[in-house]
């Protein structure tokens, strides 16, 4: 039996509800059953702004979403309704609490294998904090609630897949994070991510840390002394890994089809090429979870919330990536 793809609410004071309704009404989106987990009133308000013809249907279970008529969106409500006049574009503890509850429900359903995947609009970190949620964002909540000890971030679009060795740390700390253990961990996650896309033997390329991947030690020793041995260890495990390759050309080579996924050493090295190709089509994927989770690669856009002008391309691409990883047709 097919399972619905869950759309969490995101921060309801931001553009998330509008993106959900735009996606549900988009005739070009993947034709898979959708389940919005959120506040019915907030979603109705968003539909009135961006998709007046969209019908919202309240359901009690995710399975009931499979019986919703074409052109309608199934909504699994939260425990308590939000106020109809929740302000747009403002940090609000009630919004943070609703966003957190929506994500927790989705995680629990995914662990019970009652949904196919989780696709997430953006959260607002300050709203979570105002609600007393002691997590900085999606990734940490996903890992903790699913009891997953280790996860990795991958950014993807139609042309590139990039997995990061380190994420939100200073550049100085990112250099210190280049260790044999961290490199091998990233290579394993990259291999796992490629397999999730149905690639039998993913070709994983590793970007060097230093200019020209160290140029034989002239520009640093990390590439030869740390990264290369980790690549050899991954190869011994059966992973089709190569490198370290110069960071200024590896992404171009991947775009041309030479590699399936690139392991980047630090945040900006990996995210700049993906975002340069179009932030509206970038997708954040959490690798290592016991279920598929994809997300938009942008924020809550408080400045345009309620105007109906937010672009739903990233959410549609996130759904497309989730469908590809789940293997739905």
């Amino acid at each position: 039996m097919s399972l619905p793809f869950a759309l969490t609410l995101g921060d309801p004071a931001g553009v998330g509800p509008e993106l959900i309704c735009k996606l549900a009404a988009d005739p070009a989106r993947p034709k898979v059953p959708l389940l919005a987990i959120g506040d019915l009133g907030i979603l109705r308000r968003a539909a009135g702004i961006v998709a007046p013809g969209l019908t919202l249907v309240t359901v009690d279970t995710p399975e009931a979403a499979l019986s919703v008529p074409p052109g309608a969106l199934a909504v699994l409500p939260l425990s308590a309704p939000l106020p109809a006049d929740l302000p747009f574009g403002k940090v609000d503890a009630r919004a943070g609490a609703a966003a957190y509850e929506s994500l927790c429900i989705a995680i629990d359903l995914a662990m019970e294998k009652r949904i196919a995947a989780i696709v997430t609009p953006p959260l607002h970190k300050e709203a979570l904090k105002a609600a007393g949620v002691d997590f900085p964002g999606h990734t940490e909540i996903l890992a903790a609630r699913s009891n997953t000890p280790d996860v990795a971030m991958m950014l993807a679009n139609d042309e590139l897949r990039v997995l990061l060795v380190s994420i939100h740390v200073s550049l100085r700390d990112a250099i210190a994070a280049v260790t044999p253990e961290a490199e091998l961990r990233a290579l394993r996650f990259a291999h796992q991510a490629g397999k999730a896309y149905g690639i039998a033997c993913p070709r994983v390329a590793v970007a060097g840390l230093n200019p020209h991947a160290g140029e034989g030690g002239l520009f640093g020793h990390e590439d030869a002394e740390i990264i290369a041995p980790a690549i050899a260890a991954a190869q011994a495990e059966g992973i089709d890994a190569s490198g370290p390759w110069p960071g200024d050309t590896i992404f171009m080579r991947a775009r041309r089809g030479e590699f399936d996924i690139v392991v980047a050493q630090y945040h900006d090295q990996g995210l700049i090429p993906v975002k340069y190709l179009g932030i509206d089509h970038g997708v954040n994927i959490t690798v290592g979870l016991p279920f598929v989770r994809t997300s938009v690669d942008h924020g809550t856009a408080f400045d345009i919330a309620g105007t109906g002008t937010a672009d739903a391309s990233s959410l549609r691409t996130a759904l497309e990536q989730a469908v590809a990883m789940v293997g739905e047709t």
Side-chain angles (χ1 to χ4, degrees):
M1 180 183 70
S2 179
L3 297 174
F5 286 72
L7 301 168
T8 57
L9 186 62
D11 191 297
V15 297
E18 295 168 57
L19 299 181
I20 290 170
C21 293
K22 278 190 174 183
L23 176 66
D26 184 354
R29 73 166 177 85
K31 297 301 186 288
V32 293
L34 299 180
L35 173 68
I37 302 174
D39 183 84
L40 184 62
I42 292 295
L43 287 166
R44 279 180 174 158
R45 180 175 73 169
I49 296 170
V50 301
L54 179 65
T55 301
L56 303 180
V57 179
T58 303
V59 296
D60 296 325
T61 67
E63 293 79 12
L66 303 176
S67 302
V68 169
L73 174 63
V75 179
L76 186 66
L78 303 180
S79 59
L82 286 166
D85 60 349
L86 182 79
F88 288 112
K90 296 185 181 300
V91 173
D92 193 304
R94 297 168 297 180
Y100 179 65
E101 182 185 357
S102 171
L103 180 59
C104 289
I105 291 171
I107 294 168
D108 293 347
L109 292 175
M111 294 297 289
E112 295 168 3
K113 301 189 184 306
R114 298 176 70 189
I115 56 175
I118 300 174
V119 181
T120 59
L123 294 173
H124 198 286
K125 293 177 173 58
E126 290 182 46
L128 288 178
K129 184 177 181 181
V133 177
D134 193 24
F135 293 99
H138 274 117
T139 303
E140 295 81 5
I141 298 169
L142 287 155
R145 195 166 182 91
S146 66
N147 294 312
T148 305
D150 194 16
V151 295
M153 176 190 289
M154 183 172 74
L155 277 292
N157 56 30
D158 292 338
E159 300 181 74
L160 279 177
R161 301 183 189 98
V162 178
L163 189 134
L164 304 177
V165 174
S166 65
I167 307 175
H168 296 125
V169 297
S170 72
L171 186 54
R172 187 183 302 276
D173 289 341
I175 294 170
V178 176
T179 66
E181 296 78 15
E183 294 295 323
L184 186 55
R185 165 190 172 275
L187 282 159
R188 288 168 175 160
F189 274 133
H191 178 74
Q192 177 184 337
K195 298 277 282 187
Y197 277 98
I199 305 170
C201 189
R203 298 164 298 168
V204 181
V206 181
L209 174 68
N210 297 300
H212 302 184
E215 195 72 53
L218 292 176
F219 306 141
H221 299 280
E222 293 89 352
D223 295 282
E225 296 178 2
I226 299 174
I227 298 174
I231 293 171
Q235 292 169 341
E237 294 181 4
I239 297 173
D240 184 1
S242 65
W245 302 107
D248 57 357
T249 56
I250 189 172
F251 301 101
M252 176 182 62
R253 294 171 64 186
R255 283 186 70 197
R256 291 175 176 172
E258 193 171 339
F259 310 116
D260 297 306
I261 184 168
V262 176
V263 170
Q265 297 303 318
Y266 53 92
H267 184 277
D268 284 10
Q269 183 188 51
L271 269 61
I272 288 173
V274 174
K275 293 188 176 184
Y276 180 76
L277 293 173
I279 193 168
D280 291 334
H281 296 279
V283 176
N284 184 332
I285 300 167
T286 307
V287 182
L289 295 168
F291 48 82
V292 171
R293 179 262 175 165
T294 65
S295 181
V296 298
D297 188 29
H298 60 72
T300 51
F302 273 3
D303 57 325
I304 60 170
T307 67
T309 60
D311 190 340
S313 298
S314 184
L315 187 63
R316 185 177 69 192
T317 306
L319 176 61
E320 290 168 351
Q321 294 281 343
V323 171
M325 297 180 77
V326 169
E328 295 278 348
T329 56

